[in-house]
Amino acid sequence: MNEDAFWALIDELSRRTGNLDERTEWLRAELLRRPAAESVEFQVRLDDACEVAGTRALWRAANRIESGACTDDGFHYFTLWLVGQGRKVYDSVVADPDALADVAGVRALVGRHRDEWDDDEWPEWEGLDYVAQDAYDELTGQEDDCGEEFDDAVDERAEELADELSDPEEWEEGDEPRGSRPEGVAIPRLVALFPLGASGS
């Protein structure tokens, strides 16, 4: 599964109807129709896309939308959600986090307290991070090894693709995500849509 094939699958996922669980299950079924190696490749591509999106600028935008409630884990789930919106949305938001103001799922939250958001409305998609492992474990019969074989396979494949994939600087747990964008990157449309205190306590 090369990068284009990964994004073709993600784009199809982004067009699916239903809630996040239903869409995740569709993706799982798609991966189950393929060799186990494709699940490994999918996870490598997914991890890389999330790393590329893990910039300080995008964290600031996500935190604004969530009114200061975007935790370390929450930001990772946010980058997963962003990937799940499809390649066009992902590329535009990575290039300019203020482009989140154009995303339908974000606009649907405007003017509403975050306590009123349904689970599926939160711009986070934790389950997307587990679907490839679930498919791999079922395909290989390794469902009792706590994902160790899958993790090893992903690490090995990521090393093989190191020259092809980007390699952003890692950041320590608890640190604000690092990125190359300037500290003062502007998100004027998000600031207008999500004034301080409007969606949180």
Side-chain angles (χ1 to χ4, degrees):
M1 181 182 293
N2 62 23
E3 186 174 6
D4 288 340
F6 167 78
W7 282 111
L9 190 56
I10 289 292
D11 285 342
E12 177 63 25
L13 175 67
S14 73
R15 292 189 290 267
R16 305 295 298 183
T17 57
N19 61 34
L20 291 183
D21 287 342
E22 292 168 337
R23 293 164 65 198
T24 302
E25 182 54 36
W26 173 86
L27 177 59
R28 179 178 174 275
E30 284 295 304
L31 290 173
L32 283 172
R33 295 170 52 188
R34 305 168 183 231
E38 296 250 339
S39 292
V40 173
E41 294 265 357
F42 179 91
Q43 189 68 45
V44 171
R45 303 288 175 178
L46 179 63
D47 290 346
D48 185 62
C50 289
E51 287 287 339
V52 170
T55 65
R56 182 180 287 116
L58 191 53
W59 176 85
R60 199 171 284 116
N63 199 46
R64 184 72 184 210
I65 293 168
E66 297 185 9
S67 194
C70 190
T71 63
D72 292 335
D73 286 344
F75 181 57
H76 178 58
Y77 305 151
F78 178 88
T79 62
L80 289 162
W81 172 86
L82 178 60
V83 172
Q85 304 310 297
R87 191 172 199 171
K88 183 177 180 181
V89 170
Y90 172 88
D91 285 344
S92 67
V93 170
V94 168
D96 176 14
D98 208 30
L100 283 163
D102 297 323
V103 178
V106 171
R107 297 193 69 86
L109 305 175
V110 174
R112 298 166 54 204
H113 192 283
R114 65 174 182 254
D115 289 346
E116 300 172 355
W117 301 354
D118 291 336
D119 288 346
D120 270 2
E121 289 185 301
W122 276 84
E124 298 180 358
W125 197 342
E126 180 181 2
L128 190 57
D129 211 16
Y130 309 126
V131 63
Q133 180 185 326
D134 288 346
Y136 179 92
D137 287 349
E138 183 168 339
L139 287 166
T140 61
Q142 298 297 322
E143 295 162 290
D144 297 326
D145 78 341
C146 299
E148 291 180 11
E149 181 176 309
F150 177 75
D151 290 342
D152 289 345
V154 168
D155 290 344
E156 181 178 345
R157 186 61 179 143
E159 289 179 11
E160 293 172 358
L161 294 173
D163 291 338
E164 178 184 341
L165 300 177
S166 61
D167 187 23
E169 185 180 2
E170 293 183 0
W171 46 285
E172 298 285 334
E173 179 71 22
D175 285 351
E176 185 178 315
R178 291 188 289 236
S180 59
R181 296 181 65 90
E183 287 287 332
V185 65
I187 48 172
R189 292 188 294 158
L190 287 177
V191 167
L193 291 174
F194 296 94
L196 289 176
S199 62
S201 55

